[in-house]
Coordinates of all heavy atoms in Angstrom, one line a residue:
V1 N 17.8 12.3 -25.6 CA 16.6 12.2 -26.5 C 16.3 13.5 -27.2 O 16.1 14.6 -26.6 CB 15.4 11.9 -25.5 CG1 14.2 11.7 -26.3 CG2 15.7 10.6 -24.7
D2 N 16.4 13.4 -28.5 CA 16.2 14.6 -29.3 C 17.0 15.9 -28.9 O 16.5 16.9 -28.8 CB 14.7 15.0 -29.4 CG 13.8 14.0 -30.1 OD1 14.3 13.3 -30.9 OD2 12.7 13.9 -29.7
G3 N 18.2 15.7 -28.6 CA 19.1 16.7 -28.2 C 19.0 17.2 -26.8 O 19.6 18.1 -26.4
K4 N 18.2 16.5 -26.0 CA 18.0 16.9 -24.6 C 18.7 15.9 -23.7 O 18.7 14.8 -24.0 CB 16.5 17.0 -24.2 CG 15.7 18.0 -25.0 CD 14.3 18.0 -24.6 CE 13.6 19.1 -25.5 NZ 12.1 19.2 -25.1
A5 N 19.2 16.3 -22.6 CA 20.0 15.5 -21.6 C 18.9 14.7 -20.9 O 17.8 15.2 -20.5 CB 20.8 16.2 -20.8
C6 N 19.2 13.4 -20.7 CA 18.4 12.5 -19.8 C 18.5 12.9 -18.4 O 19.6 13.4 -18.0 CB 18.7 11.1 -20.0 SG 18.4 10.4 -21.6
V7 N 17.5 12.7 -17.6 CA 17.4 13.1 -16.2 C 17.6 11.9 -15.3 O 16.8 10.9 -15.6 CB 16.1 13.8 -15.9 CG1 16.0 14.2 -14.4 CG2 16.0 15.1 -16.7
W8 N 18.4 11.8 -14.3 CA 18.5 10.8 -13.4 C 17.6 11.2 -12.2 O 17.8 12.2 -11.7 CB 20.0 10.6 -12.9 CG 20.1 9.4 -11.9 CD1 20.1 9.4 -10.6 CD2 20.0 8.0 -12.3 NE1 20.2 8.2 -10.1 CE2 20.1 7.2 -11.1 CE3 19.9 7.3 -13.5 CZ2 20.2 5.9 -11.2 CZ3 19.9 6.0 -13.5 CH2 20.1 5.2 -12.2
C9 N 16.7 10.2 -11.9 CA 15.7 10.6 -10.8 C 16.1 10.1 -9.5 O 16.7 9.0 -9.3 CB 14.4 9.8 -11.2 SG 13.7 10.4 -12.8
P10 N 15.8 10.9 -8.4 CA 16.1 10.5 -7.1 C 15.2 9.4 -6.6 O 14.2 9.1 -7.3 CB 15.9 11.7 -6.3 CG 14.8 12.6 -7.1 CD 15.1 12.2 -8.6
S11 N 15.5 8.8 -5.6 CA 14.8 7.6 -5.0 C 13.3 7.9 -4.9 O 12.9 9.0 -4.4 CB 15.3 7.2 -3.6 OG 14.6 6.2 -3.0
G12 N 12.4 7.0 -5.3 CA 11.0 7.2 -5.2 C 10.3 7.9 -6.3 O 9.1 8.2 -6.3
R13 N 11.1 8.3 -7.3 CA 10.6 9.0 -8.4 C 11.0 8.2 -9.7 O 12.0 7.4 -9.7 CB 11.1 10.4 -8.6 CG 10.6 11.3 -7.4 CD 11.2 12.7 -7.5 NE 10.5 13.6 -6.6 CZ 9.4 14.3 -6.8 NH1 8.9 14.4 -8.0 NH2 8.9 15.0 -5.9
V14 N 10.2 8.4 -10.8 CA 10.5 7.7 -12.0 C 10.6 8.7 -13.2 O 10.0 9.7 -13.1 CB 9.4 6.6 -12.3 CG1 9.4 5.5 -11.3 CG2 8.1 7.2 -12.4
S15 N 11.3 8.2 -14.2 CA 11.5 9.1 -15.4 C 10.2 9.0 -16.3 O 9.6 7.9 -16.5 CB 12.7 8.5 -16.1 OG 12.9 9.3 -17.3
T16 N 10.0 10.1 -16.8 CA 8.9 10.2 -17.8 C 9.5 10.6 -19.2 O 9.9 11.7 -19.4 CB 7.8 11.3 -17.5 OG1 8.5 12.6 -17.4 CG2 7.1 10.9 -16.2
Q17 N 9.8 9.6 -20.0 CA 10.5 9.7 -21.3 C 11.9 10.3 -21.1 O 12.5 10.9 -22.0 CB 9.6 10.6 -22.2 CG 8.3 10.0 -22.4 CD 7.4 10.9 -23.3 OE1 7.7 11.9 -23.7 NE2 6.2 10.4 -23.5
G18 N 12.5 10.1 -19.9 CA 13.8 10.5 -19.7 C 14.0 12.1 -19.5 O 15.1 12.6 -19.5
L19 N 12.9 12.8 -19.4 CA 13.0 14.2 -19.5 C 12.7 14.9 -18.1 O 13.2 15.9 -17.8 CB 12.1 14.9 -20.5 CG 12.4 14.3 -21.9 CD1 11.3 14.9 -22.8 CD2 13.8 14.8 -22.3
S20 N 11.8 14.2 -17.3 CA 11.6 14.7 -16.0 C 11.2 13.6 -15.0 O 11.1 12.4 -15.5 CB 10.3 15.7 -16.1 OG 9.2 15.0 -16.4
C21 N 11.1 13.9 -13.7 CA 10.8 12.8 -12.7 C 9.5 13.1 -12.0 O 9.2 14.3 -11.8 CB 11.9 12.9 -11.7 SG 13.6 12.5 -12.3
V22 N 8.8 12.0 -11.8 CA 7.5 12.2 -11.1 C 7.5 11.2 -10.0 O 8.2 10.1 -10.0 CB 6.3 11.9 -12.1 CG1 6.2 13.0 -13.1 CG2 6.4 10.5 -12.7
P23 N 6.8 11.4 -8.9 CA 6.8 10.5 -7.7 C 5.9 9.3 -8.0 O 5.0 9.3 -8.8 CB 6.2 11.3 -6.6 CG 5.5 12.4 -7.3 CD 6.0 12.7 -8.6
C24 N 6.3 8.1 -7.5 CA 5.4 7.1 -7.5 C 4.2 7.2 -6.6 O 4.2 8.1 -5.7 CB 6.2 5.8 -6.9 SG 7.4 5.2 -8.1
G25 N 3.1 6.5 -6.8 CA 2.0 6.6 -6.0 C 2.1 6.0 -4.7 O 3.1 5.5 -4.3
A26 N 0.9 6.1 -3.9 CA 0.9 5.5 -2.5 C 1.2 4.1 -2.6 O 0.7 3.4 -3.4 CB -0.5 5.9 -1.9
L27 N 2.0 3.6 -1.6 CA 2.3 2.2 -1.4 C 3.2 1.7 -2.6 O 3.2 0.5 -2.9 CB 1.1 1.3 -1.2 CG 0.3 1.7 0.0 CD1 -0.9 0.8 0.1 CD2 1.1 1.5 1.3
Q28 N 3.9 2.6 -3.4 CA 4.6 2.2 -4.5 C 6.0 2.6 -4.4 O 6.4 3.5 -3.7 CB 4.1 2.8 -5.8 CG 2.8 2.3 -6.2 CD 2.3 2.8 -7.6 OE1 2.7 4.1 -7.9 NE2 1.5 2.2 -8.3
V29 N 7.0 1.9 -5.0 CA 8.4 2.2 -5.2 C 8.8 2.2 -6.6 O 8.2 1.6 -7.4 CB 9.3 1.2 -4.4 CG1 9.0 1.3 -2.9 CG2 9.0 -0.2 -4.9
A30 N 9.8 2.9 -6.9 CA 10.4 2.9 -8.2 C 11.0 1.6 -8.6 O 11.6 1.0 -7.7 CB 11.4 4.0 -8.5
T31 N 10.9 1.1 -9.8 CA 11.5 -0.1 -10.3 C 13.0 0.1 -10.3 O 13.5 1.3 -10.3 CB 11.0 -0.6 -11.7 OG1 11.2 0.5 -12.6 CG2 9.5 -0.9 -11.7
A32 N 13.8 -1.0 -10.3 CA 15.3 -0.8 -10.3 C 15.8 0.0 -11.4 O 16.8 0.8 -11.3 CB 15.9 -2.2 -10.4
D33 N 15.1 0.0 -12.6 CA 15.7 0.8 -13.8 C 15.2 2.3 -13.7 O 15.5 3.0 -14.5 CB 15.4 0.1 -15.0 CG 14.0 -0.1 -15.3 OD1 13.1 0.4 -14.6 OD2 13.6 -0.6 -16.4
G34 N 14.3 2.5 -12.7 CA 13.7 3.8 -12.7 C 12.7 4.2 -13.7 O 12.5 5.5 -13.9
T35 N 12.2 3.4 -14.5 CA 11.3 3.6 -15.5 C 9.9 3.4 -15.2 O 8.9 3.7 -16.0 CB 11.7 2.9 -16.8 OG1 11.6 1.5 -16.5 CG2 13.0 3.2 -17.3
G36 N 9.5 2.9 -14.0 CA 8.1 2.7 -13.6 C 8.0 2.5 -12.2 O 9.0 2.6 -11.4
C37 N 6.9 2.2 -11.8 CA 6.6 2.0 -10.3 C 6.0 0.6 -10.1 O 5.3 0.2 -11.0 CB 5.6 3.1 -9.8 SG 6.2 4.7 -9.8
A38 N 6.2 0.0 -8.9 CA 5.6 -1.2 -8.5 C 5.1 -1.1 -7.2 O 5.6 -0.2 -6.4 CB 6.8 -2.3 -8.8
C39 N 4.3 -2.0 -6.8 CA 3.8 -2.1 -5.4 C 4.9 -2.5 -4.4 O 5.7 -3.4 -4.7 CB 2.7 -3.1 -5.3 SG 1.2 -2.7 -6.2
A40 N 5.1 -1.7 -3.3 CA 6.0 -1.9 -2.3 C 5.6 -3.1 -1.4 O 4.4 -3.1 -0.9 CB 6.3 -0.7 -1.5
S41 N 6.3 -4.1 -1.3 CA 5.9 -5.3 -0.5 C 5.6 -4.8 0.9 O 6.4 -4.0 1.4 CB 7.1 -6.3 -0.6 OG 6.7 -7.4 0.2
P42 N 4.6 -5.3 1.5 CA 3.7 -6.3 1.1 C 2.4 -5.9 0.4 O 1.5 -6.6 0.1 CB 3.2 -7.0 2.4 CG 3.2 -5.9 3.4 CD 4.3 -5.0 2.9
A43 N 2.4 -4.6 0.0 CA 1.2 -4.1 -0.9 C 1.1 -4.9 -2.1 O 2.0 -5.4 -2.7 CB 1.4 -2.7 -1.2
V44 N -0.2 -4.9 -2.6 CA -0.5 -5.7 -3.8 C -1.3 -4.8 -4.8 O -1.9 -3.9 -4.3 CB -1.3 -7.0 -3.4 CG1 -0.5 -8.0 -2.6 CG2 -2.5 -6.7 -2.7
P45 N -1.3 -5.1 -6.1 CA -2.2 -4.4 -7.0 C -3.6 -4.5 -6.7 O -4.1 -5.5 -6.2 CB -1.9 -5.0 -8.3 CG -0.7 -5.8 -8.2 CD -0.6 -6.2 -6.7
S46 N -4.3 -3.3 -6.8 CA -5.8 -3.2 -6.5 C -6.5 -4.1 -7.7 O -5.8 -4.5 -8.6 CB -6.3 -1.8 -6.7 OG -5.9 -1.3 -8.0
V47 N -7.7 -4.4 -7.5 CA -8.5 -5.2 -8.4 C -8.4 -4.7 -9.8 O -8.3 -5.4 -10.7 CB -10.0 -5.3 -7.9 CG1 -10.9 -6.0 -9.0 CG2 -10.0 -6.0 -6.6
D48 N -8.4 -3.3 -10.0 CA -8.4 -2.8 -11.3 C -7.0 -2.6 -11.8 O -6.7 -2.1 -13.0 CB -9.1 -1.4 -11.4 CG -8.6 -0.4 -10.5 OD1 -7.5 -0.5 -10.0 OD2 -9.3 0.7 -10.4
G49 N -6.0 -2.9 -10.9 CA -4.5 -2.7 -11.3 C -4.0 -1.4 -11.4 O -2.9 -1.1 -11.8
K50 N -4.8 -0.3 -11.1 CA -4.5 1.1 -11.1 C -3.7 1.6 -9.9 O -3.2 2.8 -10.0 CB -5.5 1.9 -11.6 CG -6.1 1.6 -12.9 CD -7.3 2.5 -13.2 CE -7.9 2.1 -14.6 NZ -9.0 3.0 -14.9
A51 N -3.8 0.9 -8.8 CA -3.1 1.3 -7.6 C -2.6 0.2 -6.8 O -2.7 -1.0 -7.2 CB -4.1 2.1 -6.8
C52 N -2.0 0.5 -5.7 CA -1.5 -0.6 -4.8 C -2.3 -0.5 -3.5 O -2.7 0.7 -3.1 CB -0.1 -0.5 -4.5 SG 0.9 -0.7 -6.0
V53 N -2.7 -1.6 -2.8 CA -3.4 -1.7 -1.6 C -2.8 -2.6 -0.7 O -2.0 -3.5 -1.1 CB -4.9 -1.9 -1.9 CG1 -5.7 -1.0 -2.7 CG2 -5.0 -3.4 -2.5
C54 N -3.2 -2.5 0.5 CA -2.6 -3.5 1.6 C -3.4 -4.8 1.6 O -4.7 -4.8 1.2 CB -2.8 -2.9 3.0 SG -1.8 -1.3 3.2
P55 N -2.7 -6.0 1.7 CA -3.5 -7.2 1.7 C -4.4 -7.4 2.9 O -4.2 -6.7 3.9 CB -2.3 -8.2 1.6 CG -1.2 -7.5 2.3 CD -1.4 -6.0 2.0
A56 N -5.2 -8.5 3.0 CA -6.0 -8.9 4.1 C -5.1 -8.9 5.3 O -4.0 -9.4 5.3 CB -6.7 -10.2 3.9
G57 N -5.7 -8.4 6.5 CA -5.0 -8.5 7.8 C -4.0 -7.3 7.9 O -3.4 -7.1 9.0
M58 N -3.9 -6.3 6.9 CA -3.1 -5.2 7.1 C -3.8 -3.9 6.6 O -4.7 -4.0 5.9 CB -1.8 -5.4 6.2 CG -1.0 -6.7 6.5 SD 0.5 -6.8 5.5 CE 1.6 -6.0 6.8
G59 N -3.2 -2.8 7.1 CA -3.8 -1.5 6.8 C -2.6 -0.6 6.6 O -1.6 -0.8 7.0
E60 N -2.9 0.6 6.0 CA -1.9 1.6 5.8 C -1.7 2.3 7.1 O -2.7 2.9 7.7 CB -2.4 2.6 4.7 CG -1.3 3.1 3.9 CD -1.8 3.9 2.7 OE1 -2.9 3.6 2.1 OE2 -1.1 4.9 2.3
L61 N -0.5 2.5 7.5 CA -0.2 3.2 8.8 C -0.6 4.6 8.7 O -1.3 5.2 9.5 CB 1.3 3.0 9.2 CG 1.7 3.6 10.5 CD1 0.9 3.0 11.7 CD2 3.2 3.5 10.7
I62 N -0.1 5.3 7.7 CA -0.4 6.7 7.4 C -0.7 6.7 5.9 O -0.2 5.9 5.1 CB 0.6 7.7 7.8 CG1 2.0 7.4 7.1 CG2 0.8 7.8 9.2 CD1 3.1 8.4 7.3
V63 N -1.4 7.7 5.4 CA -1.8 7.8 4.0 C -0.4 7.9 3.2 O 0.4 8.8 3.5 CB -2.7 8.9 3.6 CG1 -2.9 9.1 2.2 CG2 -4.0 8.7 4.3
G64 N -0.3 7.1 2.2 CA 1.0 7.1 1.4 C 2.1 6.4 2.2 O 3.2 6.4 1.6
G65 N 1.9 5.8 3.3 CA 2.9 5.1 4.2 C 3.1 3.7 3.6 O 3.1 3.3 2.5
S66 N 3.2 2.8 4.7 CA 3.4 1.4 4.3 C 2.4 0.5 5.0 O 1.7 1.0 5.9 CB 4.8 0.9 4.7 OG 5.0 1.1 6.1
C67 N 2.2 -0.7 4.5 CA 1.2 -1.6 5.1 C 1.7 -2.2 6.4 O 2.9 -2.6 6.5 CB 0.9 -2.8 4.2 SG 0.2 -2.2 2.6
V68 N 0.9 -2.2 7.5 CA 1.3 -2.8 8.8 C 0.1 -3.6 9.2 O -1.0 -3.5 8.8 CB 1.5 -1.7 9.9 CG1 2.7 -0.9 9.5 CG2 0.3 -0.8 10.0
A69 N 0.4 -4.7 10.0 CA -0.6 -5.5 10.6 C -1.7 -4.8 11.3 O -1.4 -3.9 12.1 CB 0.1 -6.6 11.4
C70 N -2.9 -5.2 11.1 CA -4.0 -4.6 12.0 C -3.8 -4.9 13.4 O -3.3 -6.0 13.8 CB -5.4 -5.1 11.5 SG -5.8 -4.7 9.7
R71 N -4.0 -4.0 14.2 CA -3.9 -4.2 15.7 C -5.0 -5.0 16.3 O -6.2 -5.1 15.7 CB -3.9 -2.8 16.3 CG -2.6 -2.0 15.9 CD -2.8 -0.5 16.4 NE -2.8 -0.5 17.9 CZ -1.7 -0.4 18.7 NH1 -0.5 -0.3 18.2 NH2 -1.8 -0.4 20.0
P72 N -4.8 -5.6 17.4 CA -6.0 -6.3 18.1 C -7.2 -5.4 18.2 O -6.9 -4.2 18.5 CB -5.3 -6.7 19.4 CG -3.9 -6.8 19.2 CD -3.6 -5.7 18.2
G73 N -8.4 -5.9 18.0 CA -9.6 -5.2 18.1 C -9.9 -4.5 16.7 O -10.9 -3.9 16.6
T74 N -9.1 -4.8 15.7 CA -9.3 -4.4 14.3 C -9.1 -5.5 13.4 O -8.5 -6.5 13.7 CB -8.5 -3.1 13.9 OG1 -7.1 -3.5 13.8 CG2 -8.6 -2.0 14.8
Y75 N -9.5 -5.3 12.1 CA -9.3 -6.4 11.1 C -9.4 -5.8 9.7 O -9.8 -4.6 9.5 CB -10.4 -7.5 11.2 CG -11.7 -7.0 10.6 CD1 -12.2 -7.3 9.4 CD2 -12.6 -6.1 11.4 CE1 -13.4 -6.8 8.8 CE2 -13.8 -5.6 10.9 CZ -14.2 -6.0 9.6 OH -15.4 -5.6 9.1
S76 N -8.9 -6.5 8.8 CA -9.0 -6.1 7.3 C -9.3 -7.4 6.5 O -8.4 -8.3 6.6 CB -7.7 -5.5 6.8 OG -7.8 -5.4 5.4
S77 N -10.5 -7.5 5.9 CA -10.9 -8.8 5.3 C -10.6 -8.9 3.8 O -10.6 -10.0 3.2 CB -12.3 -9.0 5.4 OG -13.1 -8.0 4.8
G78 N -10.1 -7.8 3.2 CA -9.8 -7.8 1.8 C -8.8 -6.8 1.4 O -8.0 -6.3 2.2
L79 N -8.8 -6.4 0.1 CA -7.8 -5.6 -0.3 C -8.3 -4.1 -0.1 O -9.1 -3.6 -0.8 CB -7.6 -5.8 -1.8 CG -7.2 -7.2 -2.3 CD1 -7.2 -7.3 -3.7 CD2 -5.8 -7.5 -1.7
S80 N -7.8 -3.5 1.0 CA -8.2 -2.2 1.4 C -7.0 -1.4 2.0 O -6.0 -2.0 2.1 CB -9.4 -2.3 2.3 OG -8.8 -2.7 3.7
D81 N -7.2 -0.1 2.2 CA -6.2 0.6 2.8 C -6.3 0.7 4.3 O -5.4 1.3 4.9 CB -6.2 2.1 2.2 CG -5.8 2.1 0.7 OD1 -5.1 1.2 0.2 OD2 -6.3 2.9 0.0
N82 N -7.4 0.4 4.9 CA -7.6 0.5 6.3 C -8.0 -0.7 7.1 O -8.6 -1.6 6.5 CB -8.8 1.6 6.5 CG -8.4 2.9 5.8 OD1 -7.4 3.4 6.1 ND2 -9.4 3.3 5.1
C83 N -7.7 -0.7 8.4 CA -8.1 -1.7 9.3 C -9.4 -1.1 9.9 O -9.5 0.1 10.1 CB -7.1 -1.9 10.4 SG -5.5 -2.6 9.8
T84 N -10.4 -2.0 10.1 CA -11.7 -1.6 10.6 C -11.9 -2.1 12.0 O -11.5 -3.3 12.3 CB -12.8 -2.2 9.7 OG1 -12.6 -1.7 8.3 CG2 -14.2 -1.8 10.2
A85 N -12.4 -1.3 12.9 CA -12.7 -1.7 14.3 C -13.7 -2.8 14.3 O -14.7 -2.8 13.5 CB -13.1 -0.5 15.1
C86 N -13.5 -3.8 15.2 CA -14.6 -4.8 15.4 C -15.8 -4.2 15.9 O -15.7 -3.2 16.7 CB -14.1 -5.9 16.3 SG -12.6 -6.8 15.8
G87 N -17.0 -4.6 15.4 CA -18.3 -4.1 15.9 C -18.7 -4.5 17.3 O -18.0 -5.4 17.8
A88 N -19.7 -4.0 17.8 CA -20.2 -4.4 19.1 C -20.5 -5.9 19.0 O -21.1 -6.4 18.1 CB -21.5 -3.6 19.4
G89 N -20.1 -6.6 20.0 CA -20.3 -8.1 20.1 C -19.2 -8.9 19.4 O -19.4 -10.1 19.3
F90 N -18.2 -8.3 18.9 CA -17.1 -9.0 18.2 C -15.8 -8.5 18.7 O -15.6 -7.4 19.3 CB -17.3 -8.7 16.7 CG -18.4 -9.3 16.0 CD1 -19.7 -8.7 16.1 CD2 -18.4 -10.5 15.5 CE1 -20.8 -9.2 15.5 CE2 -19.5 -11.1 14.9 CZ -20.7 -10.5 14.9
Y91 N -14.7 -9.4 18.6 CA -13.4 -9.0 19.0 C -12.3 -9.7 18.1 O -12.6 -10.6 17.4 CB -13.3 -9.5 20.5 CG -13.2 -11.0 20.6 CD1 -12.0 -11.6 20.7 CD2 -14.3 -11.8 20.7 CE1 -11.9 -13.0 20.8 CE2 -14.3 -13.2 20.8 CZ -13.1 -13.7 20.8 OH -13.0 -15.1 20.9
S92 N -11.1 -9.3 18.2 CA -9.9 -9.9 17.7 C -8.8 -9.6 18.7 O -8.7 -8.6 19.2 CB -9.5 -9.3 16.4 OG -9.1 -8.0 16.3
T93 N -8.0 -10.6 19.0 CA -6.9 -10.5 19.9 C -5.6 -10.6 19.3 O -4.6 -10.5 20.1 CB -7.1 -11.7 21.0 OG1 -7.0 -12.9 20.2 CG2 -8.4 -11.5 21.8
T94 N -5.4 -10.8 18.1 CA -4.2 -10.8 17.4 C -3.9 -9.8 16.4 O -4.8 -9.2 16.0 CB -4.0 -12.2 16.7 OG1 -5.0 -12.3 15.7 CG2 -4.2 -13.3 17.7
F95 N -2.6 -9.6 16.2 CA -2.3 -8.6 15.1 C -2.5 -9.3 13.7 O -2.3 -10.5 13.7 CB -0.8 -8.3 15.2 CG -0.5 -7.2 16.2 CD1 -0.2 -7.6 17.5 CD2 -0.5 -5.9 16.0 CE1 0.0 -6.7 18.6 CE2 -0.2 -5.0 16.9 CZ 0.1 -5.4 18.2
G96 N -2.9 -8.6 12.8 CA -3.1 -9.2 11.4 C -4.4 -9.9 11.2 O -4.5 -10.8 10.3
S97 N -5.4 -9.6 12.0 CA -6.7 -10.3 11.9 C -7.3 -10.0 10.6 O -7.4 -8.8 10.1 CB -7.6 -9.9 13.0 OG -7.1 -10.5 14.3
T98 N -8.0 -11.0 10.0 CA -8.7 -10.9 8.8 C -10.3 -10.9 9.0 O -11.1 -10.7 8.1 CB -8.4 -11.9 7.7 OG1 -8.7 -13.2 8.3 CG2 -7.0 -11.7 7.4
A99 N -10.6 -11.1 10.3 CA -12.0 -11.1 10.6 C -12.0 -11.0 12.2 O -11.1 -11.2 12.9 CB -12.7 -12.4 10.3
C100 N -13.3 -10.7 12.6 CA -13.5 -10.6 14.2 C -14.3 -11.7 14.6 O -15.2 -12.2 13.8 CB -14.2 -9.2 14.5 SG -13.1 -7.8 14.2
D101 N -14.1 -12.2 15.7 CA -14.8 -13.3 16.4 C -16.0 -12.8 17.2 O -15.9 -11.7 17.8 CB -13.9 -14.2 17.2 CG -12.8 -14.8 16.4 OD1 -13.1 -15.4 15.3 OD2 -11.7 -14.7 16.9
A102 N -17.1 -13.6 17.2 CA -18.3 -13.2 18.0 C -18.0 -13.5 19.5 O -17.4 -14.4 19.8 CB -19.5 -14.0 17.6
C103 N -18.4 -12.5 20.3 CA -18.2 -12.7 21.8 C -19.2 -13.8 22.2 O -20.3 -14.0 21.6 CB -18.6 -11.5 22.5 SG -17.5 -10.1 22.2
D104 N -18.9 -14.6 23.3 CA -19.7 -15.6 23.8 C -21.1 -15.0 24.3 O -20.9 -13.9 24.9 CB -19.1 -16.4 25.0 CG -17.9 -17.4 24.4 OD1 -18.0 -17.7 23.2 OD2 -16.9 -17.5 25.2
A105 N -22.1 -15.7 24.1 CA -23.4 -15.1 24.6 C -23.5 -15.2 26.1 O -22.9 -15.7 26.8 CB -24.6 -15.9 24.0

């Protein structure tokens, strides 16, 4: 490009006009051609499309990591990065819960 050599980017990085490499964002992977980033499955685009988030029933294991099923006692009801603990008087017994159930009175 304009007399400059193109740069081949290592895994997880993408080319910026063929001149340098930048990392993909959290929960993203480089596209096959290395020219952009896409959400790493099972992550999905955020509502505004500017980032990737974990789907309902899943949360991010570590910041910038991957989406994993919420553990029993936690849930994720929508597009978020975290599983939330069930509140007092509520429970969940399965992995991947999207809501907590009320305890019997």
Side-chain angles (χ1 to χ4, degrees):
V1 180
D2 294 330
K4 297 180 181 178
C6 290
V7 175
W8 184 257
C9 298
S11 178
R13 293 180 171 268
V14 293
S15 174
T16 58
Q17 301 173 0
L19 302 176
S20 62
C21 299
V22 296
C24 289
L27 302 174
Q28 293 182 332
V29 293
T31 56
D33 64 6
T35 60
C37 296
C39 294
S41 182
V44 295
S46 60
V47 174
D48 65 9
K50 294 181 180 180
C52 296
V53 295
C54 296
M58 301 187 95
E60 213 173 329
L61 182 60
I62 57 171
V63 175
S66 59
C67 297
V68 296
C70 294
R71 299 174 56 91
T74 67
Y75 74 100
S76 171
S77 61
L79 303 176
S80 71
D81 292 333
N82 300 309
C83 295
T84 302
C86 295
F90 292 85
Y91 71 98
S92 69
T93 60
T94 60
F95 283 88
S97 292
T98 58
C100 295
D101 297 312
C103 296
D104 292 333

